[in-house]
Amino acid sequence: MILSWIFVAILTSVGLGNLLDYIWFETKNSGSIDAYTPNVVDSYTSLSNYQIYPANNRFIKFHVKACENAFVLLSSDINLHSSNFYEICIDGHSKTQIYLRVRRKTSNVPKNHSFDKPGLLNCSEHRTFIVKWEESGRITLTAGTEVVMDWTDTTPIPIQGIGLMTGWGSDGMWIVEHSSLFTGYYCGVTGSFGDMTLFSTSHNISVIRCSSECALSEDCLGFNFQRKKKICQFVAGGQPVVKSVARGWKFYTKCLRENTMCLGCIV
Ligand SMILES: *[C@@H]1O[C@H](CO)[C@@H](O)[C@H](O)[C@H]1NC(C)=O
Ligand SMILES: *[C@@H]1O[C@H](CO)[C@@H](O)[C@H](O)[C@H]1NC(C)=O
Ligand SMILES: *[C@@H]1O[C@H](CO)[C@@H](O)[C@H](O)[C@H]1NC(C)=O
């Protein structure tokens, strides 16, 4: 993927330390594929695209809204380019089972294990899950507060990367939790516009004041700025980033962890 953005940092001196801890994104139905499909890993959205690297924490917490067949890939490669992985399928087989599939380089056929836990997902409501993996090879899935899968691999695959996917007719809206500090950097995409829900618009405002005001608000994900008319539109958090081409506008989003993680530039 080629990213056509220029990194622009505006360092503000106020409002530093806002904790932005949810990344929203959507996965489209990937069709009838799973660990048995060659190259299935290409259909997963890697959390490394969002600069989320949970290898050291050994768990991820997410909320997903999907009707069925929500998949989590635990891969030995940070960008999922490996055929050593675990695949967890939530509400597979017509919402009746959890599947845990293990694929190893040494074998063409994955092993699957099923767990009788039906109806964990809901088409119209986000449901919360935690996937944990221990050095010992133990992998657990918690749905809400209940442990719904607990399995131990006797020859553990070291996990470096995480992928998410929906398939078998199902789309998914994901919210992945992470914690990072906003340290005052923004990145701006010239000729682009965050086509998203706004929470307010200011006129006659400089880009510096606009960024300072956004920095003060935890609900502000970034802003659209029109230099000519000095219009600043504050973009609300809690929604996926959707960009449109718009001449004369620039879409700024907050960066986390210094300037390594800037939603508007990496999506
Ligand atoms: C393995 O998965 C297939 C579907 O992908 C299923 O039909 C089969 O019952 C599973 N086997 C076990 C042991 O869970
Ligand atoms: C999904 O959530 C909605 C809204 O809370 C609820 O009315 C519905 O019964 C749920 N469906 C299932 C299958 O749990
Ligand atoms: C913007 O500021 C200029 C001068 O500072 C003023 O003349 C103009 O009326 C202002 N426009 C708006 C929409 O407030």
Side-chain angles (χ1 to χ4, degrees):
M1 183 174 41
I2 297 165
L3 297 175
S4 56
W5 52 272
I6 299 167
F7 178 76
V8 178
I10 299 173
L11 191 59
T12 63
S13 56
V14 290
L16 306 186
N18 286 352
L19 202 61
L20 284 192
D21 47 12
Y22 300 96
I23 301 277
W24 287 56
F25 62 91
E26 197 177 0
T27 53
K28 291 292 183 194
N29 170 27
S30 287
S32 303
I33 60 169
D34 54 33
Y36 293 90
T37 314
N39 304 326
V40 66
V41 296
D42 297 341
S43 296
Y44 276 89
T45 299
S46 176
L47 292 189
S48 65
N49 293 349
Y50 298 89
Q51 308 287 315
I52 298 176
Y53 303 108
N56 294 333
N57 293 339
R58 294 186 168 277
F59 79 96
I60 55 160
K61 182 172 182 183
F62 58 90
H63 314 268
V64 59
K65 185 168 77 178
C67 291
E68 55 178 277
N69 281 287
F71 291 79
V72 180
L73 189 79
L74 311 179
S75 172
S76 69
D77 181 67
I78 202 159
N79 298 314
L80 319 181
H81 303 309
S82 167
S83 46
N84 276 329
F85 60 73
Y86 303 101
E87 177 181 80
I88 299 167
C89 171
I90 302 167
D91 269 5
H93 207 262
S94 311
K95 293 178 78 67
T96 59
Q97 304 275 317
I98 300 169
Y99 291 113
L100 173 68
R101 298 184 173 125
V102 190
R103 179 100 185 250
R104 298 182 205 275
K105 271 195 185 113
T106 48
S107 159
N108 284 332
V109 189
K111 282 221 161 81
N112 76 347
H113 306 269
S114 53
F115 302 82
D116 239 347
K117 286 285 173 186
L120 298 175
L121 296 170
N122 185 309
C123 295
S124 53
E125 221 178 54
H126 278 94
R127 291 291 169 87
T128 302
F129 298 91
I130 298 171
V131 178
K132 260 190 196 163
W133 55 96
E134 295 173 13
E135 216 157 343
S136 65
R138 184 180 183 199
I139 300 172
T140 56
L141 172 70
T142 304
T145 54
E146 187 195 354
V147 177
V148 290
M149 184 192 87
D150 188 341
W151 181 81
T152 301
D153 189 356
T154 48
T155 47
I157 297 169
I159 293 160
Q160 294 300 325
I162 304 294
L164 302 173
M165 172 177 91
T166 44
W168 302 80
S170 199
D171 296 331
M173 183 63 84
W174 302 79
I175 308 170
V176 178
E177 293 194 9
H178 69 101
S179 59
S180 281
L181 290 180
F182 172 57
T183 48
Y185 287 92
Y186 287 85
C187 105
V189 191
T190 305
S192 172
F193 184 87
D195 205 351
M196 299 161 67
T197 304
L198 306 174
F199 66 81
S200 68
T201 300
S202 295
H203 296 270
N204 254 0
I205 180 174
S206 72
V207 69
I208 295 296
R209 225 188 85 216
C210 188
S211 65
S212 303
E213 283 186 18
C214 180
L216 285 171
S217 165
E218 271 186 48
D219 299 327
C220 184
L221 181 144
F223 56 92
N224 294 314
F225 191 74
Q226 221 249 36
R227 192 168 293 275
K228 246 189 197 150
K229 294 185 180 161
K230 295 196 168 175
I231 299 168
C232 175
Q233 298 180 332
F234 295 99
V235 176
Q239 58 180 330
V241 170
V242 180
K243 281 190 293 198
S244 297
V245 174
R247 199 181 266 238
W249 286 84
K250 197 160 179 171
F251 176 38
Y252 291 90
T253 47
K254 282 178 179 171
C255 299
L256 303 178
R257 279 183 227 139
E258 294 297 336
N259 55 18
T260 58
M261 181 178 182
C262 315
L263 265 188
C265 290
I266 58 185
V267 170

